[in-house]
Amino acid sequence: MTTVPRSRLSRAVEAQEGVKDLILRRGLVAGDPLPTESELMEELDISRNSVREALKALQAVGIVEIRHGFGMFVGRMSLAGLVDELAFHSRITLQDGRNHLGHLTEIREVLESGLVVRLIDLGDEADLAPVTEVMARMEAEAQVGAVPPETDRLFHDLLYRPLGNPLVSQLLGAFWDVYHQLRDEIGTPDEAPADVARRHRDILAAVTAGDRAAATAAVEAHFEGVRNRLERLGPRPL
């Protein structure tokens, strides 16, 4: 077994920190172009190999975006890596009955319970018209068949958009992406389509009425169906 020499490891870390420091010193933001490899070598006084190692590592965590044929740019925040890791480890835990998906669902429920209260606090500043339109679509879909996951996801995304916090959309999207990757393991919803629509309608109605207690209770009821499905998931044969 070979080990990475300490000097090489420290130079690689030093190069990464140098690139990050350069981004901050120049006041660059997501999407802004970065210096070329040669320019980074000169400014940071490091070798081409160290620059390339640093850029590869920073690309993996979303700090740097490399567009072949166009150059290098400051990356945009993404939770894709987190989604893949959560989905993979959740799939592993399903094999021994520990079910990380239940823990993930609990976190999302706590998050949304707090978000609906913040939304109510906005009062008339919260534009819920787009959510009302999606709600009407969901109820129409429930009358003719299952409510598509995309409609469910859009409801939650639009509901919290008036909060003006882009991280909310990213976090909720990450939860959805994990569920989507594990859709075969989770199975189909137990609830009738009409009940799915009704639970969403209850959330919207409580928020519109400014009723904090009813809103948090509606969020809890909404997640009851997800919890019931997850409770059925037992250990799978290896």
Side-chain angles (χ1 to χ4, degrees):
M1 179 178 177
T2 59
T3 58
V4 178
R6 289 181 61 86
S7 59
R8 181 177 176 184
L9 180 62
S10 61
R11 286 297 288 171
V13 172
E14 182 183 338
Q16 293 175 43
E17 293 303 316
V19 174
K20 289 191 288 185
D21 182 63
L22 180 146
I23 292 172
L24 294 174
R25 282 190 289 104
R26 296 191 178 184
L28 302 180
V29 297
D32 284 349
L34 289 171
T36 64
E37 281 188 3
S38 298
E39 291 170 337
L40 288 173
M41 288 170 54
E42 181 177 352
E43 179 156 350
L44 302 178
D45 190 25
I46 53 179
S47 68
R48 187 176 299 276
N49 284 341
S50 294
V51 168
R52 288 181 175 176
E53 281 188 42
L55 292 173
K56 187 180 297 184
L58 295 175
Q59 181 183 26
V61 295
I63 294 176
V64 169
E65 179 185 358
I66 301 176
R67 305 176 195 169
H68 297 290
F70 294 93
M72 299 179 296
F73 303 82
V74 179
R76 302 183 186 279
M77 190 175 67
S78 170
L79 299 180
L82 176 64
V83 168
D84 289 341
E85 185 174 351
L86 285 172
F88 180 75
H89 286 286
S90 294
R91 183 171 282 118
I92 289 177
T93 59
L94 288 177
Q95 297 178 338
D96 61 16
R98 284 184 289 134
N99 196 353
H100 277 5
L101 274 175
H103 301 151
L104 192 63
T105 300
E106 181 180 3
I107 293 172
R108 183 184 161 198
E109 182 178 344
V110 170
L111 175 63
E112 292 207 39
S113 294
L115 290 174
V116 290
V117 173
R118 295 290 299 275
L119 191 60
I120 289 172
D121 289 342
L122 286 180
D124 294 337
E125 295 180 25
D127 180 11
L128 298 177
V131 191
T132 302
E133 293 178 7
V134 173
M135 188 68 247
R137 183 206 304 180
M138 182 183 294
E139 290 173 331
E141 291 168 339
Q143 290 179 358
V144 297
V147 175
E150 294 77 14
T151 304
D152 195 330
R153 179 172 184 167
L154 183 60
F155 173 92
H156 293 268
D157 183 41
L158 292 177
L159 180 65
Y160 304 117
R161 192 166 292 181
L163 294 174
N165 188 334
L167 283 179
V168 169
S169 179
Q170 291 219 26
L171 283 171
L172 293 182
F175 291 142
W176 273 105
D177 290 339
V178 172
Y179 296 145
H180 180 72
Q181 288 194 28
L182 299 175
R183 60 191 179 280
D184 292 336
E185 285 87 346
I186 297 175
T188 56
D190 297 321
E191 299 171 291
D195 290 334
V196 172
R198 177 178 54 80
R199 291 188 187 277
H200 286 82
R201 170 62 73 181
D202 289 345
I203 295 174
L204 179 58
V207 170
T208 303
D211 190 330
R212 293 175 176 80
T216 54
V219 169
E220 181 180 354
H222 168 64
F223 282 96
E224 182 179 348
V226 181
R227 288 193 299 270
N228 290 339
R229 271 188 285 166
L230 295 179
E231 287 174 0
R232 297 199 314 263
L233 300 178
R236 294 175 176 269
L238 299 175

